[in-house]
Amino acid sequence: MQSSMSIARTLASSLEKYDTRNRTEANAMLEQILRDNPDLIGSYVCFEPNAFDGVDATYINTTGHDETGRFIPYWNTIGGEVKLDPLVDYQTSSYYQLPKRLKKDVVTEPYLYEGALIVSFVSPIMKEENFQGIVGVDVSLNYIDDIVSDIEIFDTGYASVVSRTGILMSHPTEKEWIGHKSLNSFDIPNIQKLKVDVYNGRSGYIETLDPITGKEVTIFYEPVETGKFSFLLIVPKEEMLAGVTTLQKQLAGISFVAICFMGGGALLIARSITKPIKRIVGNFNKISDEAIKGKLDTRANTDVDIDFRKIPEGLNSILEALEESNASIQEMKTVIDSSPAIVFKWKATPNWPVELVSNNINLLGYSPEEFDSGHLWYGDIVHPEDLDRVQKNLDKQMAEGQNDFTQEYRIITKSGDIKWVDERTLIKRDKKGNITYLQGIILDITEKKEAEKAIIEAKMIAEAANQTKSQFLANMSHELRTPLNSIIGFSDVLLEGAFGKLNEKQKKYAHNINNSGEHLLEIINDILDLSKIEAGKMELKPEHFGLEAIIVELKNSLEPLVKKKQLILDVDTNQEYPVYADKLKIKQVLYNILSNAIKFTPEKGKIAIEINYGDQEITISVSDSGIGIPSEEQDKLFKPFRQLDSNSNRKYQGTGLGLALVRNIIDMHGGQIWVESEAGKGSTFIFTLPRQNGF
């Protein structure tokens, strides 16, 4: 089988590199392979339409071809002589369709072809990872039946071979079943396990009835890896166990004689050991009485016969272990009593009678004796306002089958103080699931609760302060904006010449007043927007819009400020850059960054805007050739700053409010912002926005 598969692989490899594409040469090669390997009964190729030489139409219905003209020669010795036939059923049969789909070597299930049981070993022809066709060789499986049918097991046992799907490939007596019947044809016990294991290539055995003889048999099976077959060994149980039955009878006789001898010997031995055993038992009774009284230092007498000496010695070892264990228990009890965790064991009944409590219950002012005597139950110290809630929580956990739970509630100390405790309880159940008792610890968490209360009060005070701050800023806005708007309006009237012509000095003065007023209004607006963000009252109104539109709009509106500077729009205005964001806020971000870049860029300098549109986010960068920001000040970018330019006496001035607002707006959109700058060499402000909803 391995040899046949190797032939198919070698032919496939040869045809993949065969560039001549001559059908006569290829046929001669296939015929020679068949003649040189007498174990084969067929060799063939099957190419996809026009995949071999591209001239299928020339060979329609010629020798070794069908009505398609495809190159499908089948050289075979079925019938005796070597002959050439075209392949049939390749459009539907697994010998072609399976390797085409899997693109790997295939060994087909056995099938009958003109009276012969054969199997095909097929290898795909691939070229540049594209399927071209197949190469295959057919092998008769009659030799398997010849070999396997000669196997004999005991008197009537025999062997067989089946395919992966259970088709019979051999049988010593029922030759007409070969190739026609499968494991599914027999209605016998345990057949399902056999079929599943054979299909999955597993070994094993089943006990069942032979469908031919009706005898009870054990069928052993083992996979044959190369052909995906399985070898079956059918062994009659009565023949297999015949030797065991004979041996059982012999052993029964031997056992009877041995029992007689052993019984007599045991009687003699029993009389000799009864006396020392009685003495040891008496010694044990004395020790047990002492142990009940709490005296674990008593030891058994080892002055007995040497054969029995290990018994009292073993007892003494147990007593020593118990004494050490008792010491460990006392040490653990001391640790618990000195810890803040109070240990309880309660009955699982209302009001929780106490079965056990650690001595450190005195942390609450009570003594263990008050609970042990039944004078006080645990429910008596739970705060009356919490008692019903605690009981309901416990009942719920027990009803749901939980084995542990945690809850916090208040208790009343013996002195009348109220404390908060954290209870951690285990619900103990028996094997039937019935609740037997509760055990757990309680821990004083009063300080924690008071701290939480203080935090809540602090938050309320902070919220009140924020509200007061917002009201103050709103009033300030009203009080400042009204006179500023009047000043700006009056300066506009002066510049328009409503009160007569102004000389250059007057115009410059009026223009400065106008610019200062507008700048102050911008600062007020930034302060108010920042206060809204801090108070959580800034509302975003997301929508879909194109970034290129607002960039062009801003470029046109800022053009008068540029003057002798160059504003470069490195954005393809014919391309859309859709984004989902608050259009007005993003416009405000770009205006702040662009106006800063223009402000701090000298004459003949350059300001450039660039957009990179990625799969997940959009990156917008604004670069200038201005004064730059020193590296030690870049981490303070969004805080108010005033920094001297290292290359001149000019001041790098700004309130920082606009950039702080920019940072907060970008954060609210789920983006990021940073600056890359070097003093005297310009700055690049970069920020990102998610392409989709970033809120």
Side-chain angles (χ1 to χ4, degrees):
M1 292 177 183
Q2 292 175 348
S3 173
S4 300
M5 191 73 253
S6 297
I7 293 173
R9 289 172 182 158
T10 302
L11 281 171
S13 177
S14 299
L15 288 173
E16 286 173 0
K17 301 173 183 177
Y18 181 55
D19 296 329
T20 305
R21 300 296 182 176
N22 185 295
R23 299 196 183 199
T24 302
E25 289 180 357
N27 269 315
M29 179 172 58
L30 291 171
E31 180 183 4
Q32 192 61 42
I33 289 291
L34 181 61
R35 293 183 183 277
D36 291 345
N37 296 273
D39 291 337
L40 303 181
I41 61 171
S43 60
Y44 55 88
V45 297
C46 182
F47 276 87
E48 289 281 271
N50 285 314
F52 183 71
D53 53 11
V55 292
D56 287 357
T58 307
Y59 293 92
I60 292 176
N61 290 325
T62 59
T63 302
H65 301 82
D66 59 12
E67 65 277 3
T68 66
R70 289 169 63 171
F71 191 41
I72 52 172
Y74 178 41
W75 289 90
N76 64 89
T77 58
I78 299 174
E81 297 295 327
V82 175
K83 60 179 179 177
L84 174 63
D85 295 318
L87 287 170
V88 297
D89 300 329
Y90 51 84
Q91 296 286 17
T92 57
S93 296
S94 60
Y95 76 85
Y96 185 75
Q97 297 301 325
L98 200 57
K100 179 179 179 180
R101 177 167 57 87
L102 300 177
K103 294 182 175 57
K104 65 179 183 179
D105 297 339
V106 170
V107 180
T108 66
E109 282 289 292
Y111 59 94
L112 288 168
Y113 188 85
E114 295 188 8
L117 185 65
I118 63 176
V119 65
S120 296
F121 295 85
V122 187
S123 187
I125 302 171
M126 307 295 294
K127 192 166 185 178
E128 296 179 355
E129 298 185 359
N130 294 318
F131 178 79
Q132 300 290 305
I134 62 165
V135 171
V137 294
D138 289 344
V139 180
S140 171
L141 297 178
N142 292 339
Y143 75 93
I144 292 180
D145 182 55
D146 293 340
I147 296 171
V148 176
S149 293
D150 289 339
I151 297 174
E152 294 180 356
I153 312 298
F154 296 113
D155 295 330
T156 60
Y158 61 94
S160 181
V161 174
V162 296
S163 71
R164 185 184 183 194
T165 58
I167 298 173
L168 283 178
M169 298 166 56
S170 74
H171 198 281
T173 58
E174 308 300 327
K175 302 300 182 183
E176 67 277 6
W177 288 2
I178 299 174
H180 291 89
K181 284 199 174 187
S182 69
L183 295 176
N184 292 320
S185 305
F186 304 105
D187 184 18
I188 58 176
N190 295 331
I191 191 67
Q192 188 63 32
K193 179 180 185 304
L194 175 61
K195 289 190 298 183
V196 171
D197 284 351
V198 166
Y199 185 82
N200 291 303
R202 292 195 291 258
S203 60
Y205 70 92
I206 62 169
E207 293 182 353
T208 184
L209 298 176
D210 190 330
I212 297 178
T213 64
K215 293 181 178 180
E216 290 187 0
V217 296
T218 299
I219 301 179
F220 300 91
Y221 46 92
E222 186 75 21
V224 180
E225 194 63 35
T226 304
K228 305 295 183 184
F229 309 142
S230 284
F231 176 77
L232 275 58
L233 205 60
I234 298 90
V235 185
K237 288 183 68 175
E238 62 180 11
E239 297 175 16
M240 183 171 60
L241 301 176
V244 176
T245 303
T246 302
L247 183 60
Q248 282 179 332
K249 292 178 180 179
Q250 293 174 349
L251 289 175
I254 295 171
S255 298
F256 176 74
V257 175
I259 289 171
C260 292
F261 277 107
M262 290 173 65
L267 181 61
L268 296 174
I269 294 171
R271 289 178 178 177
S272 66
I273 66 174
T274 300
K275 186 177 179 180
I277 287 178
K278 285 182 178 180
R279 192 166 58 198
I280 291 172
V281 170
N283 200 1
F284 280 12
N285 289 334
K286 179 183 176 183
I287 290 172
S288 63
D289 291 339
E290 295 290 326
I292 290 172
K293 297 176 183 178
K295 297 180 179 180
L296 297 176
D297 55 350
T298 304
R299 295 294 180 265
N301 184 7
T302 58
D303 185 18
V304 294
D305 292 343
I306 192 170
D307 294 333
F308 299 98
R309 193 169 296 163
K310 287 188 177 181
I311 297 175
E313 288 176 350
L315 178 61
N316 289 339
S317 298
I318 293 172
L319 289 169
E320 289 169 1
L322 285 173
E323 193 171 13
E324 291 177 3
S325 176
N326 185 60
S328 298
I329 292 171
Q330 292 301 320
E331 184 178 351
M332 183 61 68
K333 187 174 182 297
T334 302
V335 171
I336 293 172
D337 289 341
S338 60
S339 74
I342 303 171
V343 179
F344 274 97
K345 179 180 178 183
W346 303 281
K347 291 182 180 178
T349 57
N351 223 29
W352 312 296
V354 176
E355 293 186 353
L356 177 69
V357 63
S358 56
N359 289 334
N360 58 350
I361 187 65
N362 56 24
L363 294 173
L364 303 179
Y366 302 104
S367 67
E369 290 74 23
E370 291 178 271
F371 292 97
D372 294 341
S373 63
H375 174 70
L376 192 64
W377 288 7
Y378 187 73
D380 297 334
I381 69 172
V382 177
H383 196 287
E385 294 179 5
D386 295 347
L387 183 60
D388 185 57
R389 172 174 62 84
V390 173
Q391 183 66 63
K392 286 181 179 179
N393 287 344
L394 177 59
D395 292 344
K396 181 175 180 292
Q397 297 292 327
M398 293 191 296
E400 293 177 352
Q402 300 294 328
N403 292 327
D404 59 276
F405 75 101
T406 301
Q407 58 181 340
E408 297 177 356
Y409 52 87
R410 293 169 293 174
I411 60 170
I412 301 174
T413 67
K414 192 168 184 177
S415 61
D417 295 333
I418 297 174
K419 290 186 176 293
W420 278 92
V421 295
D422 180 358
E423 177 189 332
R424 309 291 176 95
T425 300
L426 297 176
I427 303 171
K428 293 296 184 178
R429 305 174 188 270
D430 58 21
K431 292 182 179 179
K432 296 181 179 179
N434 299 319
I435 297 172
T436 54
Y437 61 90
L438 310 172
Q439 70 179 39
I441 63 170
I442 62 171
L443 191 64
D444 187 349
I445 58 168
T446 306
E447 291 183 1
K448 171 190 168 187
K449 283 292 184 180
E450 290 176 350
E452 290 175 353
K453 182 180 178 182
I455 291 171
I456 293 172
E457 291 175 351
K459 286 183 178 178
M460 293 175 64
I461 293 171
E463 289 176 0
N466 281 335
Q467 187 174 2
T468 303
K469 174 184 174 183
S470 298
Q471 291 174 351
F472 168 75
L473 289 173
N475 292 332
M476 183 189 74
S477 169
H478 175 73
E479 296 299 329
L480 290 177
R481 279 177 172 169
T482 301
L484 280 173
N485 282 324
S486 298
I487 292 170
I488 293 169
F490 182 72
S491 63
D492 286 340
V493 170
L494 286 175
L495 289 170
E496 290 172 2
F499 296 100
K501 291 185 178 180
L502 303 177
N503 57 38
E504 289 301 318
K505 185 176 181 180
Q506 290 171 332
K507 286 181 181 180
K508 184 176 181 181
Y509 183 70
H511 184 72
N512 287 339
I513 292 174
N514 191 32
N515 286 345
S516 298
E518 290 179 352
H519 181 60
L520 188 54
L521 275 178
E522 289 178 8
I523 292 173
I524 293 170
N525 289 333
D526 288 345
I527 291 172
L528 291 174
D529 283 344
L530 281 172
S531 68
K532 289 179 183 177
I533 293 174
E534 291 175 359
K537 295 181 179 179
M538 170 68 80
E539 294 183 2
L540 297 179
K541 297 178 180 178
E543 59 179 304
H544 287 284
F545 64 92
L547 275 174
E548 74 287 346
I550 65 172
I551 289 177
V552 172
E553 181 183 345
L554 286 171
K555 181 178 183 295
N556 294 333
S557 64
L558 291 169
E559 202 66 59
L561 301 177
V562 175
K563 295 181 180 178
K564 297 181 180 181
K565 306 168 188 179
Q566 187 177 1
L567 182 57
I568 302 170
L569 189 63
D570 193 9
V571 178
D572 186 357
T573 55
N574 295 319
Q575 180 181 344
E576 293 185 355
Y577 300 94
V579 67
Y580 184 74
D582 189 315
K583 185 176 181 179
L584 291 177
K585 298 295 184 293
I586 298 304
K587 187 174 180 180
Q588 188 176 4
V589 167
L590 285 167
Y591 180 83
N592 267 291
I593 295 176
L594 279 169
S595 60
N596 270 348
I598 293 170
K599 185 187 303 180
F600 298 115
T601 299
E603 291 185 0
K604 298 183 181 180
K606 296 180 181 179
I607 301 98
I609 312 168
E610 182 180 353
I611 297 178
N612 288 318
Y613 202 70
D615 294 335
Q616 303 296 327
E617 61 184 14
I618 302 170
T619 304
I620 303 100
S621 61
V622 177
S623 303
D624 64 64
S625 57
I627 61 176
I629 305 173
S631 58
E632 65 271 12
E633 293 296 324
Q634 291 181 26
D635 60 339
K636 303 176 183 177
L637 176 62
F638 297 118
K639 298 178 182 178
F641 55 87
R642 180 184 180 92
Q643 176 66 38
L644 276 174
D645 179 18
S646 59
N647 295 328
S648 69
N649 292 325
R650 292 184 56 194
K651 301 285 187 178
Y652 184 84
Q653 295 176 327
T655 65
L657 290 171
L659 293 177
L661 185 62
V662 164
R663 179 196 62 192
N664 281 281
I665 291 175
I666 296 301
D667 285 346
M668 292 173 70
H669 281 81
Q672 295 181 331
I673 184 165
W674 66 95
V675 65
E676 297 174 356
S677 180
E678 185 178 348
K681 295 186 179 180
S683 305
T684 300
F685 285 85
I686 307 165
F687 68 93
T688 64
L689 291 172
R691 283 183 53 176
Q692 299 301 322
N693 186 357
F695 300 99

